[in-house]
Amino acid sequence: QVQLVESGGGLVQAGDSLRLSCAVSGRTFRTDIMGWFRQAPGKEREFVAGISGSTGSTAYADSVKDRFTISRDNVKNTVYLQMNSLTLEDTAIYYCAVRPAGGTFVYSTRHMYTYWGQGTQVTVSS
């Protein structure tokens, strides 16, 4: 059984940093493409960042580029999202997801990912 468990969310002030973690179990992790998505109240779930398994190539939404960094530890089966210079617009539930097809292209569409975590809340206050 594949399980994804996110952690690291919380309440922070604008300008602060936060690091999210997503621990994956139940499958071979190192070739999977991993993604972070987020969903704000009343909005669609949107792509934030992704990282491939084979080459570690990354992709980011324009709204987080240069502020967020995705990384992975294939020994710990964990993917991270370092979030700096947080703004009110970053408030959302953050989800990690697995695309088990391998490869190097990082997809930004939800339906390309098979497994999802339960999410972790990030709230940024002024």
Side-chain angles (χ1 to χ4, degrees):
Q1 182 180 359
V2 179
Q3 286 190 317
L4 288 72
V5 179
E6 301 100 333
S7 61
L11 173 63
V12 296
Q13 291 188 322
D16 285 351
S17 298
L18 210 55
R19 189 174 85 150
L20 305 183
S21 300
C22 173
V24 181
S25 61
R27 62 171 291 103
T28 301
F29 175 82
R30 63 182 181 278
T31 59
D32 291 341
I33 294 172
M34 299 298 301
W36 283 99
F37 290 75
R38 67 186 181 186
Q39 188 166 16
K43 294 188 177 181
E44 295 289 318
R45 192 172 299 187
E46 65 175 1
F47 174 78
V48 175
I51 185 167
S52 72
S54 53
T55 63
S57 60
T58 58
Y60 296 91
D62 288 342
S63 60
V64 306
K65 204 170 291 184
D66 298 327
R67 298 190 299 122
F68 291 11
T69 302
I70 188 171
S71 62
R72 65 191 295 157
D73 184 331
N74 288 339
V75 174
K76 295 182 178 179
N77 280 17
T78 301
V79 62
Y80 304 96
L81 185 68
Q82 177 66 42
M83 306 186 295
N84 298 329
S85 302
L86 285 162
T87 71
L88 299 180
E89 289 70 35
D90 294 318
T91 294
I93 300 174
Y94 284 71
Y95 300 89
C96 67
V98 174
R99 173 173 168 78
T104 60
F105 186 81
V106 178
Y107 293 89
S108 61
T109 49
R110 293 169 52 185
H111 72 269
M112 300 301 284
Y113 292 80
T114 303
Y115 304 106
W116 292 82
Q118 294 300 305
T120 185
Q121 176 71 48
V122 173
T123 303
V124 184
S125 65
S126 59

